Structures are given as structure tokens and as C-alpha cells.
Amino acid sequence: LPDEKHAIIASAEIAETLVIDLEEPAHSLQIAGAPSSISAIRTSRNGASACFYYSENNHLLVIKGLPATPAIRDSIDVSFAGLPLRRFAISDDGSTALLAFRGEESDIVYSWTSSTGAQFVTTASRVSDIIFVAGDAVIADSSANQVVLIRNVRDQASPLLVADSRDGLSEPVALSVSSRNEIYVGTA
């Protein structure tokens, strides 16, 4: 986790996912109801929330209270899109997610909250990364050579082009955000 004192552990040898205290391993915590058969994990920027993706039954578990009191907050059935989940991200408070699905021609991006469910946001040629920045989010599109800011993800989710090939951007594949909300883009 971002605090560098805890880690999320999933293994075929244990039934439920664990949060391990790296300084005092005896103080590990099970996340009740979170099977360890996780296909992918994404933590929020501050590490207080996470999403666990289970490809075998096409759902995400939203975990809050990390690292001290981890618990399942919500479950998201991602079969609604009828497409494979490509990338996903979770907000710091665990209340909002962005989900990118691999379509035939392009990726399709949805926002999700427990109160509204999934809402269409935009399409992208190929989503390579997603990260939240407070109530907004950033999407890297490696095929279109673009970085897009999604303003106000929870309420209206308005996409805004931030940078593209005209700015010298080529194949953005990874995103990071500093403590001062500076967006860093890693390219291939």
C-alpha cells in the first residue's frame, strides 16, 4: 500500500485476502468475504480504498478502511457491458470507480457509484491507465496518444483533453499523481 508499511496478500494457499503489516507480520487482518482468487488489484491514491477484480465471475469488490479496518463496501457486477474489463480505478473514499471495457473498435469508459450504478462517460482508442485525482480522474489512451481529464466523475463526468501528440506525447502507458496533484505520464 502507499504507506509502505502494509501489503495486500492474495494466494491460492489462503481462502481470504489479507492485509499484512510489514513491520509486525503477526498483525495481519483478513478481509472477510474477499476471496484470494483475485485477478487484478487497484488501490486508491491514498491507499484507503481498493478494488479487487475477479475475472472468473466478472465482478469487482470495493474495499474500504485500508489498512487498519478493511471491509467490503460494495460489489460491482461488470457483466453489464458485455465486454471484457480492461482497466479500472477507485476513488480515495471508495465511493466512485471508473471502468474501461475493451470494445471491438475502441474502449468504452463508465463511471460507477453505488447510488447511480454504471453511467457511460466516453470512448477511447485504448485505455492504458486510469487514476483518480480528488473528484476528477485521468485516462491515458496509448493508441490515440492522449491524456484525458474526466472532471467531476461522481456527478457529470465531463472529458477534457489535457495532452496529445501535438504536445509531444507518444504512447502514454502509466499515470501517477504527486501529493501536489501534479500528473506524471509514463510513455512506452
Side-chain angles (χ1 to χ4, degrees), residues 8-185:
I8 296 171
I9 306 294
S11 166
E13 298 171 9
I14 56 175
E16 292 184 318
T17 304
L18 300 172
V19 176
I20 301 288
D21 183 327
L22 298 172
E23 294 173 348
E24 297 183 46
H27 291 109
S28 64
L29 300 169
Q30 281 189 336
I31 303 174
S36 65
S37 57
I38 299 170
S39 304
I41 297 174
R42 286 298 302 256
T43 62
S44 65
R45 190 170 133 209
N46 70 4
S49 299
C51 260
F52 299 168
Y53 176 52
Y54 298 89
S55 61
E56 73 277 355
N57 54 10
N58 220 11
H59 84 278
L60 291 163
L61 287 181
V62 177
I63 310 299
K64 282 191 63 172
L66 292 168
T69 57
I72 296 171
R73 175 196 166 106
D74 277 302
S75 180
I76 306 170
D77 179 357
V78 294
S79 65
F80 71 87
L83 300 166
L85 183 65
R86 179 174 183 76
R87 300 279 185 263
F88 58 96
I90 190 72
S91 63
D92 283 338
D93 67 1
S95 67
T96 308
L98 269 180
L99 313 169
F101 295 89
R102 185 178 310 135
E104 289 183 32
E105 301 286 323
S106 61
D107 290 349
I108 302 164
V109 180
Y110 291 87
S111 64
W112 175 91
T113 69
S114 58
S115 59
T116 64
Q119 303 283 326
F120 173 79
V121 175
T122 191
T123 60
S125 293
R126 186 170 168 201
V127 175
S128 53
D129 202 4
I130 306 171
I131 193 167
F132 273 86
V133 184
D136 302 330
V138 181
I139 295 175
D141 183 336
S142 60
S143 184
N145 297 317
Q146 295 179 338
V147 172
V148 177
L149 177 67
I150 307 294
R151 303 284 308 185
N152 195 9
V153 175
R154 173 180 275 160
D155 297 321
Q156 61 193 35
S158 306
L160 172 69
L161 180 65
V162 174
D164 64 12
S165 58
R166 295 172 293 188
D167 301 305
L169 189 63
S170 178
E171 289 187 71
V173 294
L175 299 167
S176 183
V177 178
S178 75
S179 59
R180 297 183 310 210
N181 289 332
E182 299 164 321
I183 301 165
Y184 295 96
V185 180

